[in-house]
Amino acid sequence: MIKKIGFIWGLTIAILFVNIWVYTFKPVSHELLLILSNVFPVICSFIAVITLYLVFASLKSLDETKAAWLMLFIGTLLHFLGETTYGYYEVIAGLEDPFPSLADGFWLSGYLFLYGGIAYLIIGFRRAGFALGSWKEFTSIAVLTGIIFCLVTLELFIPVIKSQEVSSLEKFLNIAYPIGDLVLIFLIFILMHFTALLGKGVFSKPWKYIVAGYVFMSVGDILFSYYTWLEIYKLGSYIDLWRNAGYLLIAMGAVCQRKVIRSL
Amino acid sequence: MANPLAVKIESFLSPLLGEMMAHSTVMIQCKKIGTIADELKPEDLPKLAERIEKALIIFVGSEKARKTAEAIKSLR
């Protein structure tokens, strides 16, 4: 099993290394860069989907834990379908900037399952009767999320709402994504707090990767929304790396979780 | 915590939950079964193991939590 963790680490580093190398030096044509920038997220999300499914399958009884991992699996599967559909539109159908599209339907519905999965883990931790930390720590989480929310509102929500250049559907989607990410960040901060309480215990390891993965994904998403809104997002932007790294961290969390389950 | 049984359980849980959480789990779950960690007796173990089993479900699922609880019961 240690070999499997080593393998997923190696795979993560290799994919991100190639990704960074291609984006930094751009040693390929514009067409190939377009293909690669669509293929990287499909590969990364696919790895996350497979590893999350393996965790789901390794849990025998249908309980809140299995439900949590099932929801994380479905949410990530929908994001994989979003990445694949978007890639199809851009690379095969040749559509430039396919927004809004069916891919948005997959991505946005995926959030609901991710919320469900993370909420199950939080509720399960609360029900378990562990020490939850002080109200000061929860206040800090609320304040930190509030600050991020204010920044996103000032820099993105207000300009989007005021804009008269885009359709109502585009306005809705431009606001729905960051809101989806902010809710995810709030839930992830709570899970991060619980994970910190677990210290160096082996049960905390998978959660640490999962938390890091969703933080990377959410930050990448918010930056993507901001950059595309300002129309300064370019093909082969480093912003894509956040999301790709997020998927791979989630995959590492899933591999770790399976290792923990099988070790008992 | 001076009770050797409570210390044993805490040592068993520490690699899984981390030292701090293992300590607080033993304290909290003992309280929930109507005792305190320093007065824990071997006859309290089944009840305590059952409580800890419920607490561990979220990390590893019911089946593995049950297995872990069985191991705790055998710590007498």
Side-chain angles (χ1 to χ4, degrees), chain B residues 21-70:
Chain B
M21 193 58 93
H23 178 75
S24 70
T25 299
V26 174
M27 304 287 274
I28 291 170
Q29 301 303 342
C30 278
K31 208 173 169 187
K32 284 190 176 170
I33 61 162
T35 185
I36 55 168
D38 281 335
E39 290 174 10
L40 191 68
K41 298 181 194 81
E43 52 266 34
D44 297 324
L45 264 182
K47 264 191 179 176
L48 182 66
E50 207 175 292
R51 295 282 333 173
I52 293 174
E53 178 187 331
K54 282 182 185 162
L56 298 184
I57 287 175
I58 195 60
F59 298 109
V60 287
S62 311
E63 198 201 19
K64 298 291 180 172
R66 201 174 307 128
K67 246 184 159 180
T68 312
E70 289 302 323

Short mmCIF file of all heavy atoms in Angstrom, two decimals, chain B residues 21-70:
data_model
loop_
_atom_site.label_atom_id
_atom_site.label_comp_id
_atom_site.label_asym_id
_atom_site.label_seq_id
_atom_site.Cartn_x
_atom_site.Cartn_y
_atom_site.Cartn_z
N MET B 21 -6.60 14.35 20.68
CA MET B 21 -7.97 13.88 20.45
C MET B 21 -8.21 12.54 21.15
O MET B 21 -9.31 12.29 21.65
CB MET B 21 -8.21 13.76 18.94
CG MET B 21 -9.64 13.60 18.56
SD MET B 21 -10.68 14.93 19.13
CE MET B 21 -10.66 16.00 17.73
N ALA B 22 -7.19 11.68 21.20
CA ALA B 22 -7.32 10.39 21.89
C ALA B 22 -7.61 10.63 23.37
O ALA B 22 -8.49 9.99 23.97
CB ALA B 22 -6.05 9.57 21.71
N HIS B 23 -6.88 11.57 23.95
CA HIS B 23 -7.05 11.90 25.36
C HIS B 23 -8.48 12.42 25.62
O HIS B 23 -9.18 11.91 26.50
CB HIS B 23 -6.01 12.95 25.78
CG HIS B 23 -6.13 13.37 27.21
ND1 HIS B 23 -5.72 12.58 28.24
CD2 HIS B 23 -6.64 14.51 27.77
CE1 HIS B 23 -5.96 13.21 29.38
NE2 HIS B 23 -6.51 14.38 29.11
N SER B 24 -8.87 13.40 24.80
CA SER B 24 -10.20 13.99 25.04
C SER B 24 -11.31 12.98 24.74
O SER B 24 -12.36 13.00 25.39
CB SER B 24 -10.39 15.27 24.24
OG SER B 24 -10.49 15.00 22.89
N THR B 25 -11.09 12.09 23.79
CA THR B 25 -12.11 11.07 23.46
C THR B 25 -12.34 10.15 24.66
O THR B 25 -13.49 9.87 25.03
CB THR B 25 -11.67 10.25 22.23
OG1 THR B 25 -11.55 11.14 21.14
CG2 THR B 25 -12.67 9.16 21.88
N VAL B 26 -11.25 9.69 25.28
CA VAL B 26 -11.39 8.81 26.45
C VAL B 26 -12.14 9.54 27.57
O VAL B 26 -13.07 9.00 28.17
CB VAL B 26 -10.01 8.29 26.93
CG1 VAL B 26 -10.14 7.49 28.23
CG2 VAL B 26 -9.37 7.42 25.85
N MET B 27 -11.75 10.79 27.80
CA MET B 27 -12.39 11.58 28.87
C MET B 27 -13.90 11.76 28.58
O MET B 27 -14.73 11.50 29.45
CB MET B 27 -11.74 12.98 28.97
CG MET B 27 -10.26 12.96 29.19
SD MET B 27 -9.78 12.49 30.83
CE MET B 27 -9.86 14.03 31.65
N ILE B 28 -14.19 12.21 27.35
CA ILE B 28 -15.59 12.51 26.99
C ILE B 28 -16.45 11.24 27.01
O ILE B 28 -17.54 11.23 27.57
CB ILE B 28 -15.66 13.22 25.61
CG1 ILE B 28 -15.07 14.62 25.70
CG2 ILE B 28 -17.10 13.29 25.09
CD1 ILE B 28 -14.86 15.32 24.36
N GLN B 29 -15.93 10.17 26.40
CA GLN B 29 -16.74 8.95 26.30
C GLN B 29 -16.93 8.29 27.66
O GLN B 29 -17.98 7.68 27.92
CB GLN B 29 -16.15 7.96 25.27
CG GLN B 29 -16.00 8.51 23.85
CD GLN B 29 -17.30 9.02 23.25
OE1 GLN B 29 -18.40 8.70 23.70
NE2 GLN B 29 -17.18 9.86 22.22
N CYS B 30 -15.92 8.40 28.53
CA CYS B 30 -16.08 7.87 29.90
C CYS B 30 -17.23 8.61 30.59
O CYS B 30 -18.08 8.01 31.26
CB CYS B 30 -14.79 8.07 30.71
SG CYS B 30 -13.57 6.80 30.39
N LYS B 31 -17.24 9.94 30.41
CA LYS B 31 -18.28 10.76 31.02
C LYS B 31 -19.65 10.33 30.50
O LYS B 31 -20.63 10.27 31.25
CB LYS B 31 -18.02 12.23 30.67
CG LYS B 31 -18.53 13.20 31.69
CD LYS B 31 -18.08 14.60 31.32
CE LYS B 31 -18.78 15.63 32.15
NZ LYS B 31 -18.49 16.99 31.69
N LYS B 32 -19.70 10.02 29.21
CA LYS B 32 -20.99 9.65 28.59
C LYS B 32 -21.52 8.30 29.09
O LYS B 32 -22.71 8.04 29.01
CB LYS B 32 -20.85 9.64 27.07
CG LYS B 32 -20.86 11.05 26.50
CD LYS B 32 -20.97 11.07 25.00
CE LYS B 32 -21.06 12.51 24.52
NZ LYS B 32 -20.94 12.65 23.09
N ILE B 33 -20.61 7.44 29.57
CA ILE B 33 -21.10 6.16 30.11
C ILE B 33 -21.25 6.23 31.64
O ILE B 33 -21.42 5.22 32.30
CB ILE B 33 -20.22 4.95 29.68
CG1 ILE B 33 -18.78 5.11 30.21
CG2 ILE B 33 -20.25 4.74 28.18
CD1 ILE B 33 -18.00 3.80 30.21
N GLY B 34 -21.12 7.44 32.16
CA GLY B 34 -21.39 7.65 33.58
C GLY B 34 -20.23 7.38 34.51
O GLY B 34 -20.43 7.05 35.68
N THR B 35 -19.00 7.52 34.02
CA THR B 35 -17.84 7.35 34.89
C THR B 35 -16.80 8.43 34.54
O THR B 35 -17.06 9.30 33.70
CB THR B 35 -17.25 5.92 34.76
OG1 THR B 35 -16.19 5.76 35.70
CG2 THR B 35 -16.73 5.64 33.36
N ILE B 36 -15.64 8.36 35.19
CA ILE B 36 -14.54 9.25 34.78
C ILE B 36 -13.33 8.38 34.46
O ILE B 36 -13.23 7.24 34.95
CB ILE B 36 -14.18 10.32 35.87
CG1 ILE B 36 -13.87 9.65 37.22
CG2 ILE B 36 -15.28 11.34 36.01
CD1 ILE B 36 -13.24 10.58 38.22
N ALA B 37 -12.45 8.90 33.62
CA ALA B 37 -11.32 8.10 33.13
C ALA B 37 -10.49 7.50 34.28
O ALA B 37 -10.04 6.36 34.20
CB ALA B 37 -10.44 8.95 32.23
N ASP B 38 -10.31 8.26 35.35
CA ASP B 38 -9.50 7.77 36.47
C ASP B 38 -10.14 6.63 37.23
O ASP B 38 -9.48 5.94 38.01
CB ASP B 38 -9.17 8.94 37.43
CG ASP B 38 -8.04 9.78 36.89
OD1 ASP B 38 -7.23 9.25 36.10
OD2 ASP B 38 -7.98 10.98 37.21
N GLU B 39 -11.44 6.43 37.03
CA GLU B 39 -12.14 5.35 37.75
C GLU B 39 -12.61 4.25 36.81
O GLU B 39 -13.49 3.46 37.16
CB GLU B 39 -13.33 5.94 38.52
CG GLU B 39 -12.88 6.79 39.70
CD GLU B 39 -14.06 7.49 40.37
OE1 GLU B 39 -15.21 7.17 40.05
OE2 GLU B 39 -13.80 8.36 41.21
N LEU B 40 -12.06 4.21 35.62
CA LEU B 40 -12.50 3.24 34.61
C LEU B 40 -12.17 1.80 35.05
O LEU B 40 -11.05 1.53 35.50
CB LEU B 40 -11.81 3.54 33.28
CG LEU B 40 -12.34 2.81 32.05
CD1 LEU B 40 -13.75 3.28 31.71
CD2 LEU B 40 -11.42 3.05 30.87
N LYS B 41 -13.18 0.91 34.94
CA LYS B 41 -12.97 -0.49 35.36
C LYS B 41 -13.12 -1.40 34.15
O LYS B 41 -13.79 -1.04 33.17
CB LYS B 41 -14.01 -0.87 36.42
CG LYS B 41 -13.93 -0.05 37.69
CD LYS B 41 -15.01 -0.53 38.65
CE LYS B 41 -15.20 0.44 39.79
NZ LYS B 41 -16.06 1.58 39.46
N PRO B 42 -12.57 -2.61 34.21
CA PRO B 42 -12.69 -3.54 33.06
C PRO B 42 -14.15 -3.79 32.66
O PRO B 42 -14.44 -3.94 31.48
CB PRO B 42 -12.03 -4.82 33.56
CG PRO B 42 -11.08 -4.38 34.61
CD PRO B 42 -11.70 -3.18 35.26
N GLU B 43 -15.06 -3.78 33.64
CA GLU B 43 -16.47 -4.02 33.29
C GLU B 43 -17.11 -2.84 32.52
O GLU B 43 -18.17 -3.00 31.93
CB GLU B 43 -17.32 -4.38 34.54
CG GLU B 43 -17.21 -3.42 35.71
CD GLU B 43 -16.15 -3.85 36.72
OE1 GLU B 43 -15.12 -4.42 36.31
OE2 GLU B 43 -16.36 -3.61 37.93
N ASP B 44 -16.44 -1.69 32.53
CA ASP B 44 -16.95 -0.54 31.75
C ASP B 44 -16.55 -0.65 30.27
O ASP B 44 -17.08 0.09 29.43
CB ASP B 44 -16.36 0.78 32.29
CG ASP B 44 -16.78 1.07 33.72
OD1 ASP B 44 -17.93 0.74 34.06
OD2 ASP B 44 -15.96 1.60 34.48
N LEU B 45 -15.60 -1.53 30.00
CA LEU B 45 -15.02 -1.58 28.65
C LEU B 45 -16.03 -1.81 27.51
O LEU B 45 -15.97 -1.09 26.50
CB LEU B 45 -13.93 -2.64 28.57
CG LEU B 45 -12.50 -2.14 28.76
CD1 LEU B 45 -11.51 -3.29 28.62
CD2 LEU B 45 -12.16 -1.05 27.76
N PRO B 46 -16.96 -2.80 27.64
CA PRO B 46 -17.90 -2.99 26.52
C PRO B 46 -18.68 -1.73 26.18
O PRO B 46 -18.81 -1.38 25.01
CB PRO B 46 -18.83 -4.11 27.04
CG PRO B 46 -18.03 -4.83 28.07
CD PRO B 46 -17.17 -3.79 28.71
N LYS B 47 -19.18 -1.05 27.21
CA LYS B 47 -19.95 0.18 26.98
C LYS B 47 -19.07 1.27 26.35
O LYS B 47 -19.48 1.96 25.42
CB LYS B 47 -20.52 0.71 28.31
CG LYS B 47 -21.93 0.28 28.59
CD LYS B 47 -22.43 1.08 29.78
CE LYS B 47 -23.87 0.75 30.11
NZ LYS B 47 -24.31 1.45 31.33
N LEU B 48 -17.87 1.42 26.90
CA LEU B 48 -16.95 2.45 26.39
C LEU B 48 -16.55 2.14 24.94
O LEU B 48 -16.54 3.03 24.08
CB LEU B 48 -15.70 2.53 27.28
CG LEU B 48 -14.69 3.61 26.89
CD1 LEU B 48 -15.28 5.01 27.07
CD2 LEU B 48 -13.41 3.50 27.71
N ALA B 49 -16.26 0.86 24.67
CA ALA B 49 -15.87 0.45 23.31
C ALA B 49 -17.00 0.74 22.32
O ALA B 49 -16.75 1.17 21.19
CB ALA B 49 -15.50 -1.03 23.30
N GLU B 50 -18.24 0.51 22.78
CA GLU B 50 -19.40 0.78 21.93
C GLU B 50 -19.48 2.27 21.58
O GLU B 50 -19.76 2.63 20.45
CB GLU B 50 -20.66 0.36 22.72
CG GLU B 50 -21.82 -0.03 21.83
CD GLU B 50 -22.98 -0.54 22.67
OE1 GLU B 50 -22.84 -1.64 23.28
OE2 GLU B 50 -23.97 0.18 22.76
N ARG B 51 -19.22 3.13 22.59
CA ARG B 51 -19.26 4.58 22.37
C ARG B 51 -18.14 4.99 21.41
O ARG B 51 -18.36 5.78 20.49
CB ARG B 51 -19.06 5.34 23.69
CG ARG B 51 -20.12 5.17 24.73
CD ARG B 51 -21.37 5.94 24.53
NE ARG B 51 -21.22 7.17 23.79
CZ ARG B 51 -22.24 7.91 23.40
NH1 ARG B 51 -23.47 7.53 23.68
NH2 ARG B 51 -22.06 9.03 22.74
N ILE B 52 -16.95 4.42 21.62
CA ILE B 52 -15.81 4.78 20.76
C ILE B 52 -16.06 4.28 19.33
O ILE B 52 -15.73 4.96 18.36
CB ILE B 52 -14.48 4.23 21.34
CG1 ILE B 52 -14.17 4.96 22.67
CG2 ILE B 52 -13.32 4.41 20.36
CD1 ILE B 52 -12.97 4.44 23.43
N GLU B 53 -16.70 3.11 19.23
CA GLU B 53 -17.03 2.57 17.90
C GLU B 53 -17.88 3.58 17.11
O GLU B 53 -17.58 3.88 15.95
CB GLU B 53 -17.81 1.25 18.06
CG GLU B 53 -18.24 0.64 16.74
CD GLU B 53 -19.16 -0.58 16.92
OE1 GLU B 53 -19.04 -1.27 17.96
OE2 GLU B 53 -19.97 -0.81 16.02
N LYS B 54 -18.91 4.12 17.78
CA LYS B 54 -19.77 5.11 17.11
C LYS B 54 -18.97 6.33 16.68
O LYS B 54 -19.21 6.91 15.61
CB LYS B 54 -20.91 5.53 18.04
CG LYS B 54 -22.01 4.49 18.10
CD LYS B 54 -23.16 4.94 18.98
CE LYS B 54 -24.17 3.82 19.11
NZ LYS B 54 -25.07 4.02 20.25
N ALA B 55 -18.00 6.71 17.53
CA ALA B 55 -17.19 7.90 17.22
C ALA B 55 -16.28 7.69 16.02
O ALA B 55 -15.99 8.61 15.28
CB ALA B 55 -16.37 8.30 18.45
N LEU B 56 -15.85 6.45 15.83
CA LEU B 56 -14.87 6.18 14.76
C LEU B 56 -15.50 5.95 13.38
O LEU B 56 -14.80 5.97 12.37
CB LEU B 56 -14.01 4.96 15.13
CG LEU B 56 -13.15 5.07 16.38
CD1 LEU B 56 -12.30 3.83 16.55
CD2 LEU B 56 -12.26 6.31 16.35
N ILE B 57 -16.84 5.73 13.38
CA ILE B 57 -17.52 5.40 12.12
C ILE B 57 -17.20 6.40 11.00
O ILE B 57 -16.91 6.01 9.87
CB ILE B 57 -19.05 5.27 12.33
CG1 ILE B 57 -19.35 3.97 13.09
CG2 ILE B 57 -19.81 5.27 10.99
CD1 ILE B 57 -20.80 3.78 13.48
N ILE B 58 -17.21 7.69 11.32
CA ILE B 58 -17.04 8.71 10.28
C ILE B 58 -15.67 8.62 9.59
O ILE B 58 -15.52 9.02 8.43
CB ILE B 58 -17.29 10.14 10.85
CG1 ILE B 58 -17.48 11.14 9.71
CG2 ILE B 58 -16.21 10.57 11.81
CD1 ILE B 58 -18.64 10.86 8.80
N PHE B 59 -14.71 8.04 10.26
CA PHE B 59 -13.37 7.95 9.65
C PHE B 59 -13.18 6.70 8.80
O PHE B 59 -12.49 6.73 7.79
CB PHE B 59 -12.28 7.98 10.74
CG PHE B 59 -12.27 9.23 11.54
CD1 PHE B 59 -12.69 9.24 12.85
CD2 PHE B 59 -11.87 10.42 10.97
CE1 PHE B 59 -12.70 10.39 13.60
CE2 PHE B 59 -11.87 11.59 11.69
CZ PHE B 59 -12.29 11.58 13.02
N VAL B 60 -13.75 5.57 9.26
CA VAL B 60 -13.43 4.31 8.59
C VAL B 60 -14.65 3.44 8.26
O VAL B 60 -14.49 2.33 7.76
CB VAL B 60 -12.43 3.48 9.44
CG1 VAL B 60 -11.05 4.09 9.38
CG2 VAL B 60 -12.89 3.33 10.87
N GLY B 61 -15.85 3.94 8.54
CA GLY B 61 -17.05 3.15 8.27
C GLY B 61 -17.37 2.21 9.43
O GLY B 61 -16.53 1.93 10.28
N SER B 62 -18.62 1.70 9.43
CA SER B 62 -19.13 0.89 10.55
C SER B 62 -18.31 -0.38 10.78
O SER B 62 -17.98 -0.72 11.91
CB SER B 62 -20.57 0.47 10.28
OG SER B 62 -21.33 1.55 9.90
N GLU B 63 -18.00 -1.06 9.69
CA GLU B 63 -17.35 -2.37 9.82
C GLU B 63 -15.98 -2.26 10.51
O GLU B 63 -15.69 -2.99 11.46
CB GLU B 63 -17.19 -2.98 8.42
CG GLU B 63 -16.94 -4.46 8.46
CD GLU B 63 -16.30 -4.96 7.19
OE1 GLU B 63 -15.73 -4.15 6.44
OE2 GLU B 63 -16.36 -6.16 6.96
N LYS B 64 -15.15 -1.35 10.04
CA LYS B 64 -13.80 -1.20 10.61
C LYS B 64 -13.85 -0.57 12.00
O LYS B 64 -13.02 -0.86 12.86
CB LYS B 64 -12.92 -0.36 9.68
CG LYS B 64 -12.71 -0.99 8.32
CD LYS B 64 -11.85 -2.24 8.41
CE LYS B 64 -11.66 -2.84 7.02
NZ LYS B 64 -10.69 -3.93 7.02
N ALA B 65 -14.88 0.29 12.23
CA ALA B 65 -15.04 0.88 13.57
C ALA B 65 -15.37 -0.24 14.57
O ALA B 65 -14.87 -0.25 15.70
CB ALA B 65 -16.14 1.93 13.55
N ARG B 66 -16.21 -1.21 14.14
CA ARG B 66 -16.58 -2.35 14.99
C ARG B 66 -15.33 -3.17 15.32
O ARG B 66 -15.12 -3.57 16.46
CB ARG B 66 -17.61 -3.21 14.27
CG ARG B 66 -18.43 -4.11 15.21
CD ARG B 66 -19.53 -4.82 14.44
NE ARG B 66 -20.36 -3.89 13.68
CZ ARG B 66 -20.64 -4.03 12.39
NH1 ARG B 66 -20.14 -5.04 11.70
NH2 ARG B 66 -21.41 -3.15 11.77
N LYS B 67 -14.51 -3.38 14.31
CA LYS B 67 -13.27 -4.15 14.49
C LYS B 67 -12.35 -3.47 15.51
O LYS B 67 -11.75 -4.13 16.37
CB LYS B 67 -12.53 -4.25 13.14
CG LYS B 67 -12.44 -5.65 12.59
CD LYS B 67 -11.62 -5.63 11.34
CE LYS B 67 -11.06 -6.98 11.02
NZ LYS B 67 -10.26 -6.96 9.79
N THR B 68 -12.26 -2.15 15.39
CA THR B 68 -11.42 -1.38 16.30
C THR B 68 -11.98 -1.45 17.72
O THR B 68 -11.22 -1.59 18.69
CB THR B 68 -11.33 0.10 15.83
OG1 THR B 68 -11.02 0.10 14.45
CG2 THR B 68 -10.27 0.87 16.58
N ALA B 69 -13.32 -1.39 17.83
CA ALA B 69 -13.96 -1.48 19.14
C ALA B 69 -13.69 -2.85 19.78
O ALA B 69 -13.47 -2.94 20.99
CB ALA B 69 -15.46 -1.23 19.01
N GLU B 70 -13.71 -3.89 18.97
CA GLU B 70 -13.40 -5.25 19.47
C GLU B 70 -11.99 -5.28 20.05
O GLU B 70 -11.74 -5.88 21.10
CB GLU B 70 -13.51 -6.28 18.34
CG GLU B 70 -14.94 -6.56 17.87
CD GLU B 70 -15.87 -7.05 18.97
OE1 GLU B 70 -15.40 -7.80 19.84
OE2 GLU B 70 -17.05 -6.64 18.97
#
